Amino acid sequence: MSKKIKLFFIISSVLLLSFSCQKEKEKSNKFVTQDVHNFYDMLSQIENATSLNDTLKILNESYLQKASIGLKDYLEYEKSSNNRDIEQEYLKIIRSFPKYFKSQKPLLSDIENQLDEFDKYFQKIKEVYPDAKFQSTYFSIGFFNTQGQMVYPKTIFMGLEASIRTDKTDYSEFPENYSWLVDDPSTINDLGYLVVHENLHTLQQIKANENSILDQAITEGAAVFLTEHFCGQESLVGIAGIDQDMIDYAGKNRTEIWTEFGTDLKNPENFSKWFWSTNSKYPYSMGYYMGYMICKSFYENQKDKQDAIKKLIVINDPKFIFEHSQFKKFAE
């Protein structure tokens, strides 16, 4: 074999290997968008429906029965945990917000072409934690009940109907109780931060005890802190992080809130005071902020920063993170 031919085969082999590695790298962060296209195909068919039975038949055959694994897992969670009637939930939003979905179609139908930037965040995580194995992320259309979440054990579901917008999004049909959506300025960048936040939960090695304020604060706080660490400070306030009213409240009531938090760690019956309750005297889900501050303090207090990041990624011992932070100083 001549040197030129041999060189050609060597170069070809290198290029082929490089291409194969690149394809494999893309597979490690798979983004699934089929539900979005199925949803808009379903809407176009429903325009010709002549009865409720026709509408429900199209909804089921063209969307629900074609659901991705992620959408199926999410809908099953909503049925079992929140007793949702899935057909009625979708029927409600289809009838109530046709202008909204029409205005969002150019943005949502092109979603796969807007996701390439997200991969850089995952590469940063793998630089620190090479063992990270990311799950598929499912971009779907729900019924305005979540912007995105991890469905246990490791399904990443993104509700695009509630998580991104443009200046052409039409909110004219929404009643006052949807102000949380109408006033939310989230963009495609914020969606990327949320995707990272939820994927970080899949790397955590502990499932938070249902009634443990500490476990929940650390698992959520770590995801918020690490999203900021890998994506930048702009991710901190928004759908992937904490709310500005948490920061403002803590700034005005620092000693009180940290003293009460420390006391409540021994009182799991006060869990709803810190997480997912509109009846708390604190800003909604204030526990995210408390956990974020603890994890940030832990990181700043460690000499080996890379090891600290690894510990915050895997979260196999929330108590260790807590005890090696400067938590007590927050209440001074």
Side-chain angles (χ1 to χ4, degrees), residues 46-318:
I46 283 179
E47 291 178 0
N48 299 316
T50 58
S51 67
L52 175 59
N53 286 338
D54 282 349
T55 299
L56 292 176
K57 184 173 184 291
I58 294 168
L59 169 62
N60 278 281
E61 292 182 355
S62 297
Y63 189 59
L64 298 181
Q65 292 175 15
K66 292 183 178 180
S68 67
I69 294 173
L71 179 57
K72 286 179 180 177
D73 286 352
Y74 169 69
L75 296 181
E76 185 57 40
Y77 163 80
E78 287 291 349
K79 285 191 290 186
S80 60
S81 298
N82 298 321
N83 199 30
R84 303 278 186 186
D85 184 326
I86 302 303
E87 282 188 351
Q88 291 303 311
E89 293 289 349
Y90 277 109
L91 191 62
K92 176 184 175 182
I93 67 168
I94 290 167
R95 288 176 164 177
S96 299
F97 312 124
K99 292 180 182 178
Y100 172 79
F101 284 113
K102 183 178 180 180
S103 71
Q104 287 285 79
K105 184 176 181 179
L107 174 65
L108 301 186
S109 297
D110 191 48
I111 190 64
E112 54 262 299
N113 294 320
Q114 304 176 58
L115 304 178
D116 290 345
E117 282 294 302
F118 298 176
D119 189 61
K120 64 185 179 184
Y121 304 134
F122 293 99
Q123 294 309 313
K124 288 181 180 180
I125 296 171
K126 289 184 78 70
E127 286 173 9
V128 178
Y129 187 55
D131 291 336
K133 289 182 173 59
F134 300 110
Q135 307 301 309
S136 295
T137 300
Y138 296 90
F139 297 87
S140 302
I141 305 294
F143 31 82
F144 300 99
N145 198 49
T146 183
Q147 292 168 308
Q149 67 183 74
M150 184 189 78
V151 181
Y152 186 80
K154 290 187 177 183
T155 296
I156 307 298
F157 175 85
M158 294 290 121
L160 292 185
E161 82 287 356
S163 55
I164 53 175
R165 65 190 292 165
T166 69
D167 55 4
K168 295 181 180 179
T169 301
D170 187 343
Y171 291 109
S172 62
E173 300 159 319
F174 287 91
E176 189 174 339
N177 61 320
Y178 281 83
S179 60
W180 62 269
L181 175 71
V182 177
D183 297 336
D184 186 351
S186 297
T187 66
I188 192 69
N189 291 334
D190 297 290
L191 179 65
Y193 308 148
L194 184 59
V195 169
V196 172
H197 177 114
E198 298 302 336
N199 269 277
L200 284 165
H201 280 310
T202 70
L203 301 178
Q204 294 172 346
Q205 296 178 5
I206 182 173
K207 182 179 185 291
N209 185 298
E210 187 174 343
N211 296 312
S212 172
I213 295 172
L214 180 61
D215 284 5
Q216 200 65 60
I218 298 301
T219 54
E220 291 295 349
V224 172
F225 172 74
L226 291 170
T227 299
E228 180 190 30
H229 181 80
F230 291 115
C231 301
Q233 188 176 11
E234 61 272 16
S235 71
L236 178 59
V237 176
I239 61 175
I242 56 180
D243 297 332
Q244 186 61 47
D245 60 349
M246 295 179 184
I247 299 172
D248 295 341
Y249 188 94
K252 295 175 182 177
N253 305 277
R254 173 173 169 162
T255 301
E256 172 200 339
I257 197 169
W258 281 104
T259 299
E260 189 160 346
F261 180 77
T263 300
D264 281 349
L265 292 180
K266 301 175 184 177
N267 299 296
E269 65 271 16
N270 290 333
F271 184 90
S272 62
K273 186 191 298 184
W274 302 99
F275 295 100
W276 307 307
S277 173
T278 56
N279 295 321
S280 174
K281 66 179 181 179
Y282 297 129
Y284 184 77
S285 285
M286 189 70 188
Y288 279 64
Y289 172 85
M290 313 303 278
Y292 163 75
M293 291 297 292
I294 292 168
C295 292
K296 182 178 181 181
S297 173
F298 169 80
Y299 173 76
E300 292 173 345
N301 199 41
Q302 301 302 302
K303 292 181 179 180
D304 188 336
K305 301 300 185 188
Q306 184 156 321
D307 182 67
I309 290 296
K310 288 180 181 178
K311 283 185 169 63
L312 288 170
I313 289 174
V314 299
I315 300 292
N316 52 24
D317 188 354

